[in-house]
Amino acid sequence: MIVREAKLKHGTAEQYSAIDQAIRTAQFIRNKALRYWMDNQGTSKADLYSICKDLAKEFDFAKRLNSAARQASAERAWAAISNFYTRCKKGVGKKGFPKFKKHCRSVEYKVSGWKLSDDCKSIAFTDGFEIGTLSIFCNNETQEDLQRLKINRVRIVHRADGYYAQFCFDAERKEQGEYSGNVVGLDLGLKFFTKDQNDNAVIYPQFLRKAQKQLKKAQRRLSKKFVKGAKPQSKNYHSCRKRLGRIHLKVQRQRKDWAIKLARCVVHSNDVVVYEDLKIANMVKNHHLAKSISDAGWYQYTQWLDYYGKIWDKAVVAVSPSYTSQDCSNCGHRVKKSLSTRTHSCPSCKIEICRDTNAALNILYKGLNILGVQWNKNGTSGQEESAEKSGKHGEKTTAAVDQQFDTVSGLR
């Protein structure tokens, strides 16, 4: 599935108010479906669908929402329930019991309840809320997809800077990759965002840190406008709240754009990409580093590495980070060191290199061992063993690594 986004413009205040009502109704149906599951043991997905019909009969505002949109809201509740069941079966520590939504920001339509214009420059929503026609502003790539691909679903998303339409297309993105025979192992960190086995480092721009002064100022203004017990709050309060939200949204978009561009460049330049699969949820428990870790956005970056690996059919491998900084990449001797020690000095083979470079080498060796490829600094050569050992120590691959590789340059 391909998801494209376009901004909805040229709407009146009444139209945007109708969108907010539709979003609140979708939230209401989702929470009602979740409550029904809590109160009735053995509830199935079909039961949640039938709840949508009962709610439409009982509440007039629920009937105004398109029937397919009501079903989509019930599907959201069932997705939270099924994920909870899956985590229980796997024995995960935090099961993630489904919770009620307090602030929902989107409503989803299926194949009905909306109509796209012939030139794909406007969209009309035709359910009971009478949202009407809104203009679509998007790039050329999205316009081409709107005209040639089948749309499965349409979402309306409310963000700090306006309303957006997300189009879900029934297609799979696939592109022809360029293969160079290069391999790279990436060590993720804070001093250097990534460092590879060739000592090439990337420094993170720290978008949140740079916007911190502006965020604090906006937060102080918001706090001064808040009146305890007042419902609703004043217009000035909501104006400050939206201003603060736009600053956070800008930081979020900067971080995402930077992660996409860097991941695309790395996967495009290498045939095999190996990175460490960090447990970020455990790492942010260190309150001295939590803000820096969250600002770095390692998880988002690795997700885009996996994404481009699938698009270009390249091997992107996540390996366990255990002892990658302590084991010597030259002789394998384990040298224990604290986080403040930035140089790896091995007493066995007398080698001295950067701690992050040593970790990147170990990460690369682990990943190539999964793929059944032997690597040296001058090139790579294949082995008879394949990727049967993948996943043995928690490693995962995101490309077709079950194929037999003769050489890295001969992946395709």
Side-chain angles (χ1 to χ4, degrees):
M1 180 178 289
I2 299 177
V3 180
R4 300 293 187 195
E5 191 171 283
K7 190 164 188 179
L8 299 175
K9 284 191 174 183
H10 298 161
T12 63
E14 291 76 11
Q15 287 179 302
Y16 294 139
S17 177
I19 292 176
D20 291 335
Q21 293 177 25
I23 291 174
R24 286 194 296 269
T25 304
Q27 173 186 319
F28 170 79
I29 293 174
R30 188 251 182 210
N31 290 340
K32 279 289 187 179
L34 187 58
R35 169 54 66 186
Y36 183 83
W37 169 77
M38 292 179 180
D39 296 338
N40 299 275
Q41 189 175 4
T43 302
S44 64
K45 189 176 181 180
D47 296 331
L48 297 187
Y49 280 152
S50 62
I51 286 297
C52 297
K53 296 180 181 179
D54 298 336
L55 292 174
K57 295 177 181 178
E58 185 177 356
F59 301 97
D60 293 335
F61 65 90
K63 188 176 182 180
R64 294 174 65 189
L65 188 64
N66 181 267
S67 60
R70 294 196 297 266
Q71 290 182 359
S73 300
E75 288 174 2
R76 289 185 178 184
W78 183 252
I81 295 167
S82 59
N83 290 337
F84 168 68
Y85 286 149
T86 302
R87 288 189 288 267
C88 289
K89 291 178 182 178
K90 291 182 178 179
V92 181
K94 291 186 177 181
K95 305 297 188 296
F97 191 84
K99 297 180 180 180
F100 296 109
K101 285 285 185 181
K102 187 178 180 181
H103 299 291
C104 189
R105 293 178 177 84
S106 64
V107 58
E108 185 175 287
Y109 294 85
K110 294 186 179 181
V111 294
S112 61
W114 57 272
K115 186 177 181 181
L116 200 63
S117 63
D118 295 335
D119 57 357
C120 297
K121 292 186 178 180
S122 64
I123 184 171
F125 295 94
T126 59
D127 60 350
F129 287 103
E130 299 179 354
I131 297 172
T133 304
L134 297 165
S135 299
I136 295 175
F137 281 76
C138 57
N139 54 23
N140 294 332
E141 190 176 8
T142 304
Q143 275 288 338
E144 292 175 1
D145 289 342
L146 287 173
Q147 293 174 2
R148 66 184 180 86
L149 296 178
K150 179 184 176 182
I151 302 175
N152 272 357
R153 300 195 177 204
V154 176
R155 301 189 193 104
I156 305 178
V157 183
H158 184 194
R159 293 203 174 95
D161 63 340
Y163 295 83
Y164 292 82
Q166 288 184 345
F167 300 94
C168 304
F169 300 103
D170 187 14
E172 185 177 356
R173 185 179 175 186
K174 210 74 176 175
E175 297 178 8
Q176 180 62 39
E178 297 179 4
Y179 302 96
S180 59
N182 297 329
V183 297
V184 65
L186 299 176
D187 175 66
L188 303 176
L190 293 176
K191 184 177 181 181
F192 303 109
F193 182 73
T194 60
K195 205 165 193 182
D196 63 11
Q197 74 278 4
N198 297 321
D199 210 31
N200 298 319
V202 176
I203 298 176
Y204 183 67
Q206 294 184 334
F207 298 111
L208 181 62
R209 295 282 184 182
K210 291 178 180 178
Q212 201 162 5
K213 184 177 180 181
Q214 191 179 6
L215 284 168
K216 286 182 178 180
K217 184 178 180 180
Q219 186 64 60
R220 282 197 302 269
R221 287 184 175 179
L222 179 66
S223 299
K224 289 179 181 179
K225 298 292 189 296
F226 179 76
V227 179
K228 187 176 181 180
K231 290 185 179 181
Q233 296 291 329
S234 65
K235 290 184 178 180
N236 287 336
Y237 170 83
H238 289 291
S239 178
C240 292
R241 177 181 60 82
K242 292 175 182 178
R243 188 180 298 115
L244 178 63
R246 285 193 294 268
I247 299 172
H248 278 291
L249 183 63
K250 181 180 179 181
V251 174
Q252 175 189 340
R253 286 172 172 170
Q254 285 176 325
R255 187 183 295 132
K256 180 180 178 181
D257 180 68
W258 191 83
I260 290 174
K261 290 177 179 177
L262 181 61
R264 182 183 179 92
C265 180
V266 169
V267 180
H268 183 268
S269 305
N270 300 276
D271 292 353
V272 176
V273 179
V274 187
Y275 65 87
E276 53 182 341
D277 188 18
L278 297 173
K279 303 299 180 184
I280 301 172
N282 297 332
M283 297 176 68
V284 294
K285 293 178 182 178
N286 183 345
H287 297 292
H288 298 286
L289 300 175
K291 182 181 286 187
S292 298
I293 291 172
S294 300
D295 189 21
W298 292 327
Y299 179 76
Q300 185 178 49
Y301 173 66
T302 55
Q303 289 293 100
W304 284 106
L305 286 176
D306 296 341
Y307 175 74
Y308 283 112
K310 291 178 181 178
I311 287 178
W312 290 324
D313 203 9
K314 294 188 177 182
V316 180
V317 187
V319 300
S320 172
S322 302
Y323 302 108
T324 53
S325 296
Q326 298 182 19
D327 291 347
C328 180
S329 58
N330 190 41
C331 65
H333 181 73
R334 184 161 295 174
V335 183
K336 293 187 177 181
K337 55 180 78 72
S338 63
L339 286 173
S340 60
T341 306
R342 306 311 304 171
T343 303
H344 171 75
S345 301
C346 181
S348 179
C349 62
K350 309 301 180 183
I351 190 175
E352 285 193 10
I353 58 174
C354 175
R355 170 200 181 107
D356 297 333
T357 306
N358 177 70
L361 285 165
N362 288 327
I363 290 167
L364 181 60
Y365 292 147
K366 277 189 174 185
L368 294 181
N369 188 39
I370 295 172
L371 301 177
V373 178
Q374 188 176 9
W375 178 82
N376 55 55
K377 293 185 179 181
N378 298 321
T380 56
S381 60
Q383 294 179 341
E384 291 183 358
E385 60 182 358
S386 62
E388 294 178 358
K389 294 183 288 184
S390 64
K392 189 174 181 180
H393 302 289
E395 294 87 351
K396 57 182 179 180
T397 60
T398 59
V401 298
D402 55 338
Q403 301 177 9
Q404 184 68 30
F405 297 115
D406 294 327
T407 59
V408 174
S409 60
L411 287 174
R412 285 290 178 272

